[in-house]
């Protein structure tokens, strides 16, 4: 227990150092821009030709774009007052990881952050100490290895909604997630556009009756008729109220199986 406490303290200290480092970088960029503004104001008070300075100032403004979004800056300033945030880009992701354990965030939307499988490792290391219940990782180059890392930690999260839209977890990743769904808190699962085929759909379908899933979104995969039939068989025993299956190569046979299962299911939305 003493060893665990020591490791936890080291982890906290590292997070604090990372946070302070990112704050220092933000301040440095802000100070640099303030210096440029002062030069501009000084130039305005003189009667000399200003055209050259105007050109340089415009270039400086173009070069000195904010390091992170205004939304993330607000989180850094008042971490306890923000509960939802959208983050885009690798720098914003790194800054967010530093502040996440100290925030009151409950909803997190990460898009195009270059997270990848390595970023998932970093994310799962801080999520258990956060208040996040809704997490979307959209277009983040997450593959089956990232899905496996996420699945391994999923039962320890507060997550209720998990979105992995437009990644590439394929069947292998879907199977990893399926293996822990019955012992997780997940009730809404977004798996659109992940290259998931019949086997992945079957794995998810098999655990639906023992999971808390009420909303499942599979649009833009390749589950075909066999995957649709597996889901149809699971519907009467599941808690599903919403199911998204567009653009999955499902023919009339698959559609018929789903329609036949509808009267015995809790589904209110199928599309």
């Amino acid at each position: 227990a003493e060893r665990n406490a020591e490791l936890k303290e080291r982890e906290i200290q590292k997070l604090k150092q990372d946070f302070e480092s990112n704050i220092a970088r933000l301040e440095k960029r802000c100070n640099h821009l303030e210096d440029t503004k002062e030069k501009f104001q000084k130039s305005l008070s003189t009667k000399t030709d200003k055209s050259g300075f105007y050109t340089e100032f415009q270039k400086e403004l173009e070069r000195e774009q904010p390091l992170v979004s205004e939304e993330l800056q607000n989180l850094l300033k008042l971490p306890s007052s923000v509960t939802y945030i959208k983050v885009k880009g690798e720098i914003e992701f790194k800054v967010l990881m530093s502040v996440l354990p100290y925030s009151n965030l409950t909803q997190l939307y990460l898009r195009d952050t270059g997270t990848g499988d390595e970023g998932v490792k970093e994310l799962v290391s801080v999520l258990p100490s956060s208040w996040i219940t809704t997490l979307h990782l959209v277009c983040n180059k997450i593959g089956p290895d990232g899905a496996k890392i996420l699945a391994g930690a999923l039962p320890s999260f507060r997550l209720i909604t998990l979105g992995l839209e437009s990644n590439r977890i394929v069947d292998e990743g879907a199977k990893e997630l399926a293996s822990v769904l019955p012992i997780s808190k997940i009730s809404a699962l977004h798996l659109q556009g992940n290259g998931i085929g019949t086997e992945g759909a079957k794995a998810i379908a098999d655990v639906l009756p023992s999971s808390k899933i009420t909303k499942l979104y599979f649009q833009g995969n390749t589950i075909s008729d066999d995957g649709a039939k597996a889901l149809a068989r699971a519907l009467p025993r599941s808690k599903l109220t919403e199911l998204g299956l567009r653009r999955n190569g499902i023919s009339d046979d698959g559609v018929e199986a789903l329609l036949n299962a509808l009267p015995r299911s809790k589904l209110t939305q199928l599309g």
Side-chain angles (χ1 to χ4, degrees), residues 74-90:
N74 289 336
L75 175 64
L76 292 170
K77 294 172 186 173
L78 299 166
S80 62
S81 66
V82 182
T83 58
Y84 169 75
I85 192 170
K86 287 185 178 182
V87 169
K88 186 175 181 179
E90 187 175 355

Side-chain angles (χ1 to χ4, degrees), residues 165-215:
E165 301 95 324
S166 301
N167 287 287
R168 200 69 185 171
I169 71 168
V170 297
D171 284 343
E172 186 182 342
K175 290 177 182 178
E176 293 290 348
L177 291 174
S179 68
V180 298
L181 284 179
I183 56 173
S184 77
K185 302 175 184 67
I186 300 296
S187 63
L189 183 60
H190 300 251
L191 295 175
Q192 300 97 315
N194 265 284
I196 298 170
T198 300
E199 294 305 312
K202 284 181 176 179
I204 297 289
D206 286 345
V207 300
L208 282 178
S210 56
S211 76
K212 297 179 178 65
I213 301 291
T214 59
K215 299 177 182 180

Side-chain angles (χ1 to χ4, degrees), residues 197-199 201-202 205 223-232 245 250 258:
T198 300
E199 294 305 312
K202 284 181 176 179
I223 73 169
S224 70
D225 286 341
D226 287 342
K229 289 176 181 178
L231 288 166
L245 293 175
I250 300 172
L258 289 164

Side-chain angles (χ1 to χ4, degrees), residues 75 79-84 100 102-107 131-132:
L75 175 64
S80 62
S81 66
V82 182
T83 58
Y84 169 75
L100 192 58
Y102 311 106
S103 75
N104 283 336
L105 284 174
T106 58
Q107 300 179 61
W131 297 100
I132 301 295

